[in-house]
């Protein structure tokens, strides 16, 4: 809840105004039964028509007044709640975008999505209720009790005796509800993950006739979440019937005891009617408190989940500048790395050895040189790129760019050095031009030049709107080869010092792949190129080639050198070319 109050503090003026308006509206509503009692017991018996009309108009005015103030307060509460949730989502998005690779893996994408959506909505609902229901419900409850005390102390004591029991059970049940709702949100993470996997891989699911299997998998996760939600909702619903029963018993006692006091001439009949109205208000107040505690239990669990992301340590620690005298532009010196928080903290898997994604990698590149990295799936090729761009920090060894440790760079300073195409990179629902520019303000001439160098011009020029052609989500209206050439154009457009192409030509035919690599070599000589590929033909023209297997470098040199010294490279070449 600290997170909720922290964000509400930014709008405390507007929130206090909404609370004040709600307070005035509720107070005017509390006067209605009192006015009614006075009219029945005093004004009507006087048979003064003018007084009856006057007090009737006063009661009507009070009704309109409380209605308008309550509506106004609710509107302001909704507006303030939306502003708070807007800030929460904005900060959560910024934090998520800057999470280190380890932290992102720790939270997981589905969980971050549910925190951004479901959890932030729960916070929004709580902020709204804190401004409206949290004012109205206690005022109805305690204000009603106070008003009844002024009217008849003996009848009011019936209500006062019940209040500690009602409030006690609400507090006890609410303390049980918060951890339950935390589990509900965790189950929701699983549902989101399965849903995302199925939406992303829907073609694979259909192609392998696994629709029914995935339906069952989703259904199982959905049922688990529903069970947790029902369990939490059932526990949180316990106070409702109990409070209603107590209030009904109290109402019965008020009618019976009140009738006796009227019969004894101690109170007027209008007091009984006013008491019944106040009793109804008190009932609404108690039920409102129950709703508040249910909402705040959800919001508290959600706020804790959001705060765990917002308060996560910034793992980008910029070290002091550290230079080494070297003519190399990029260098890896005995670099090792393993994924997973658990492996790093506990340091061991089965057998007592820590599994490393890469182990003891060393190589260097001059400015403008090209490096091809080849090896089987899972051998650590992409990990090298992740470490070079500092998505993760190395466990051992040193990585330098232009003689300077990557850990001494400012984040933006480092990332601006790169133009990169990752595996399964993203095409956004936007024009092809905006997909290439990506908000960098690159000139149209540079974009058109990049389009030609990536050979994307071949198909873009044939489109009716050219670069203004609108791509669908994930480039669904583009072929695999068209998307890859578009992504290469995006990487080239910024004229990067380091160009990284991670399996970016897998959907291209050999002729187009070769032509694109030739255009890049000729027109981007100033860029140091790192190309990851599965095909020997894609890397054999690179200045240097690194052959990887099981996280280790098993061969390094030019194509001719590797044909002589690396049997794995030679066998791969022969297998792919014969």
């Amino acid at each position: 809840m600290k997170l909720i109050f922290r964000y509400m503090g930014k709008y405390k003026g507007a929130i206090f105004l909404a609370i004040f308006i709600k307070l005035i509206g509720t107070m005017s509503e509390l006067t209605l039964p009192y006015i009614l009692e006075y009219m029945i017991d005093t004004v009507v018996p006087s048979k003064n028509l003018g007084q009856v009309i006057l007090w009737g108009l006063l009661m009507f005015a009070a009704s309109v007044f409380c209605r308008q103030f309550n509506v106004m307060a609710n509107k302001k509460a909704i507006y303030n709640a939306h502003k708070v949730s807007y800030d929460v989502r904005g900060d959560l998005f910024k934090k998520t975008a800057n999470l280190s690779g380890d932290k992102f893996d720790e939270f997981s994408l589905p969980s971050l999505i549910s925190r951004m959506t479901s959890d932030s909505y729960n916070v929004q609902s709580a902020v709204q209720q804190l401004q409206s229901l949290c004012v109205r419900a206690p005022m109805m409850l305690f204000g009603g009790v106070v008003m009844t005390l002024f009217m008849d102390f003996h009848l009011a004591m019936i209500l006062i005796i019940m209040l500690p029991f009602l409030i006690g059970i609400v507090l006890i049940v609410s303390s049980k509800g918060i951890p339950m709702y935390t589990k509900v949100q965790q189950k929701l993470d699983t549902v989101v993950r399965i849903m995302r996997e199925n939406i992303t891989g829907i073609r694979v699911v259909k192609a392998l006739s696994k629709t029914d299997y995935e339906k069952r998998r989703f259904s199982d996760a959905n049922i688990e979440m529903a069970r947790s939600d029902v369990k939490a909702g059932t526990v949180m619903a316990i106070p409702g019937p109990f409070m209603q029963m107590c209030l009904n018993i109290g109402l019965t006692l008020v009618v019976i005891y009140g009738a006796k006091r009227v019969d004894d001439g101690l109170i007027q009949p209008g007091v009984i009617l006013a008491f019944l109205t106040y009793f109804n208000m008190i009932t609404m107040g108690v039920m409102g408190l129950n709703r508040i505690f249910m909402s705040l239990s959800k919001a508290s669990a959600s706020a804790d989940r959001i705060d765990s992301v917002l308060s996560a340590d910034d793992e980008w620690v910029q070290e002091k500048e550290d230079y080494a005298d070297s003519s190399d532009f990029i260098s890896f010196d005995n670099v090792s790395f393993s994924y997973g928080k658990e492996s790093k903290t506990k340091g061991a898997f089965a057998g007592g050895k820590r599994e490393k994604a890469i182990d003891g990698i060393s190589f260097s590149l001059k400015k403008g040189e090209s490096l091809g990295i080849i090896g089987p799936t899972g051998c650590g090729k992409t990990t090298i790129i992740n470490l070079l761009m500092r998505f993760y920090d190395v466990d051992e060894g040193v990585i330098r760019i232009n003689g300077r440790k990557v850990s001494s760079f400012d984040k933006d300073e480092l990332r601006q050095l790169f133009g990169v195409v990752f595996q399964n990179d993203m095409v956004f629902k936007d024009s092809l031009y905006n997909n290439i520019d990506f908000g960098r303000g690159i000139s149209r001439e540079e974009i058109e030049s990049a389009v030609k160098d990536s050979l994307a011009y071949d198909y873009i020029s044939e489109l009716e709107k050219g670069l203004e052609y609108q791509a669908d989500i994930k480039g669904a209206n583009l072929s695999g080869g068209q998307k890859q050439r578009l992504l290469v154009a995006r990487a080239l457009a910024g004229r990067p010092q380091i160009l990284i192409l991670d399996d970016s030509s897998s959907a291209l035919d050999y002729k187009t792949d070769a032509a694109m690599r030739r255009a890049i070599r000729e027109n981007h000589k100033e860029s140091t190129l790192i190309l990851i590929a599965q095909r020997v033909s894609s890397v054999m023209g690179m200045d240097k080639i690194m052959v990887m297997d099981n996280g280790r470098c098993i061969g390094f040199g030019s194509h001719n050198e590797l044909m002589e010294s690396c049997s794995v490279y030679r066998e791969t070449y022969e297998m792919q070319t014969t």
Side-chain angles (χ1 to χ4, degrees):
M1 291 300 293
K2 290 181 180 179
L3 176 135
I4 295 176
F5 291 123
R6 185 168 73 243
Y7 276 89
M8 288 176 67
K10 183 179 177 181
Y11 305 101
K12 58 185 177 183
I15 289 172
F16 283 140
L17 178 59
I19 291 173
F20 178 75
I21 294 173
K22 192 70 177 180
L23 189 64
I24 297 298
T26 305
M27 288 175 65
S28 63
E29 190 173 353
L30 285 169
T31 64
L32 294 176
Y34 190 85
I35 295 174
L36 180 62
E37 183 272 331
Y38 182 77
M39 287 180 66
I40 292 174
D41 291 340
T42 304
V43 177
V44 173
S46 70
K47 299 183 181 180
N48 186 331
L49 182 60
Q51 287 291 312
V52 172
I53 294 173
L54 177 63
W55 281 94
L57 290 174
L58 181 62
M59 189 172 182
F60 175 76
S63 300
V64 173
F65 183 84
C66 76
R67 184 263 181 195
Q68 289 301 111
F69 267 63
N70 282 328
V71 169
M72 189 188 309
N74 289 341
K75 285 183 177 180
K76 288 187 177 296
I78 291 171
Y79 181 68
N80 292 335
H82 275 286
K83 289 196 292 186
V84 169
S85 65
Y86 174 86
D87 289 347
V88 170
R89 284 193 297 270
D91 288 349
L92 190 56
F93 181 83
K94 291 175 186 176
K95 185 69 177 184
T96 300
N98 289 295
L99 285 175
S100 67
D102 279 328
K103 279 294 180 184
F104 201 94
D105 295 343
E106 180 184 338
F107 288 117
S108 82
L109 179 58
S111 180
L112 289 169
I113 291 173
S114 65
R115 292 172 207 233
M116 188 84 70
T117 51
S118 175
D119 287 320
S120 65
Y121 176 76
N122 288 341
V123 169
Q124 177 181 318
S125 299
V127 173
Q128 181 179 333
Q129 291 199 8
L130 281 169
Q131 300 171 82
S132 54
L133 200 57
C134 281
V135 176
R136 179 179 171 80
M139 278 293 296
M140 283 289 189
L141 175 58
F142 297 107
V145 171
V146 170
M147 292 298 290
T148 56
L149 280 171
F150 278 111
M151 299 181 73
D152 189 89
F153 177 80
H154 295 85
L155 290 179
M157 287 304 297
I158 296 175
L159 302 178
I160 293 173
I161 291 172
M162 291 183 176
L163 286 181
F165 296 100
L166 300 178
I167 296 173
I169 191 170
V170 169
L171 292 175
I172 292 171
V173 171
S174 296
S175 67
K176 302 291 185 183
I178 293 175
M180 286 185 166
Y181 280 120
T182 300
K183 289 183 179 179
V184 171
Q185 294 304 116
Q186 291 171 347
K187 298 290 185 183
L188 178 61
D189 292 346
T190 303
V191 172
V192 172
R193 175 179 58 79
I194 294 175
M195 189 183 340
R196 180 178 176 274
E197 289 172 349
N198 276 271
I199 292 173
T200 304
I202 188 64
R203 293 183 181 179
V204 176
V205 172
K206 289 182 177 180
L208 297 178
S209 299
K210 288 295 182 180
T211 303
D212 290 337
Y213 169 78
E214 290 299 330
K215 283 180 180 178
R216 288 194 300 271
R217 196 161 72 101
F218 178 81
S219 178
D220 291 343
N222 202 20
I223 289 172
E224 281 296 313
M225 191 197 78
R227 284 175 180 168
S228 297
D229 199 14
V230 168
K231 184 178 180 180
T234 301
V235 170
M236 293 303 297
I238 289 174
F242 180 81
M243 289 187 294
Q244 192 67 52
M245 180 188 70
C246 291
L247 290 168
N248 286 335
I249 292 173
L251 182 61
T252 303
L253 293 175
V254 165
V255 172
I256 294 172
Y257 186 53
K260 183 179 183 304
R261 288 180 65 77
V262 170
D263 190 55
D264 293 341
L266 297 174
I267 57 174
Q268 298 294 320
V271 174
I272 300 295
L273 184 59
F275 251 87
L276 295 178
T277 307
Y278 277 126
F279 217 96
N280 185 51
M281 289 184 175
I282 292 169
T283 301
M284 288 191 295
V286 173
M287 300 306 294
L289 285 177
N290 185 43
R291 284 176 55 198
I292 290 169
F293 283 113
M294 286 185 66
S295 177
L296 293 184
S297 295
K298 284 184 178 181
S300 181
S302 293
D304 288 343
R305 282 163 49 85
I306 292 173
D307 199 36
S308 66
V309 177
L310 296 178
S311 61
D313 293 335
D314 185 359
E315 297 193 355
W316 185 283
V317 178
Q318 186 176 353
E319 300 177 1
K320 292 182 180 180
E321 291 189 4
D322 182 354
Y323 289 90
D325 292 333
S326 174
S327 60
D328 297 326
F329 183 59
I330 295 175
S331 66
F332 275 57
D333 183 9
N334 198 31
V335 173
S336 298
F337 173 77
S338 58
Y339 288 101
K341 203 72 176 176
E342 184 178 353
S343 68
K344 293 183 179 182
T345 55
K346 296 184 179 179
F349 285 100
K353 293 182 179 180
R354 196 165 103 183
E355 189 173 324
K356 295 182 179 181
I358 61 171
D359 187 9
I361 297 296
S362 297
F363 69 88
S364 61
L365 293 173
K366 306 291 185 186
K367 179 74 172 177
E369 279 191 326
S370 58
L371 170 68
I373 305 177
I374 192 169
T377 301
C379 68
K381 301 187 297 294
T382 299
T383 300
I384 290 176
I385 304 307
N386 288 337
L387 295 175
L388 180 61
M389 297 188 70
R390 208 187 169 196
F391 293 133
Y392 299 86
D393 283 324
V394 300
D395 295 340
E396 301 172 17
V398 178
I399 302 174
R400 296 182 185 273
I401 296 177
N402 208 18
R404 180 179 171 186
K405 286 177 66 174
V406 293
S407 56
S408 70
F409 280 85
D410 173 75
K411 186 181 295 185
D412 292 335
E413 181 187 8
L414 177 64
R415 301 281 165 77
Q416 287 171 2
L417 299 174
F418 294 90
V420 59
V421 180
F422 294 108
Q423 298 180 49
N424 304 316
D425 216 336
M426 176 62 73
V427 175
F428 296 89
K429 184 177 174 60
D430 205 340
S431 67
L432 300 185
Y433 184 95
N434 288 338
N435 264 285
I436 296 172
D437 178 45
F438 210 54
R440 293 175 289 178
I442 300 172
S443 68
R444 191 171 189 89
E445 292 75 16
E446 290 174 318
I447 287 178
E448 290 176 348
S449 175
V451 166
K452 291 176 181 178
D453 291 340
S454 66
L455 302 190
Y457 182 80
D458 294 349
Y459 75 87
I460 291 178
S461 61
E462 297 178 358
L463 298 173
E464 183 179 350
K465 296 183 179 180
L467 283 169
E468 299 307 318
Y469 180 78
Q470 293 291 310
D472 287 343
I473 298 174
K474 291 190 175 182
N477 55 343
L478 300 173
S479 69
Q482 289 174 335
K483 283 190 286 188
Q484 285 190 334
R485 282 178 282 173
L486 178 70
L487 294 168
V488 171
R490 178 195 292 168
L492 295 174
R495 290 282 174 180
Q497 294 188 43
I498 303 171
L499 177 63
I500 296 174
L501 304 179
D502 186 356
D503 201 19
S504 60
S505 60
S506 57
L508 302 180
D509 59 80
Y510 285 92
K511 182 179 179 181
T512 303
D513 182 18
M516 184 176 68
R517 283 185 281 106
R518 184 167 57 252
I520 292 173
R521 285 199 304 270
E522 292 175 356
N523 300 323
H524 295 268
K525 295 178 181 179
E526 74 284 358
S527 296
T528 302
L529 172 63
I530 298 178
L531 188 149
I532 296 174
Q534 299 288 342
R535 299 190 300 220
V536 171
S537 61
S538 296
V539 301
M540 59 188 296
M542 301 292 105
D543 296 321
K544 296 178 180 179
I545 302 170
M546 181 161 59
V547 184
M548 294 192 66
D549 186 35
N550 199 28
R552 291 182 173 272
C553 174
I554 59 173
F556 191 85
S558 66
H559 170 72
N560 292 332
E561 290 171 343
L562 290 173
M563 288 294 289
E564 293 291 332
S565 62
C566 183
S567 60
V568 172
Y569 182 83
R570 183 171 59 252
E571 289 170 4
T572 304
Y573 172 79
E574 292 172 351
M575 182 175 61
Q576 291 184 1
T577 56
T578 56

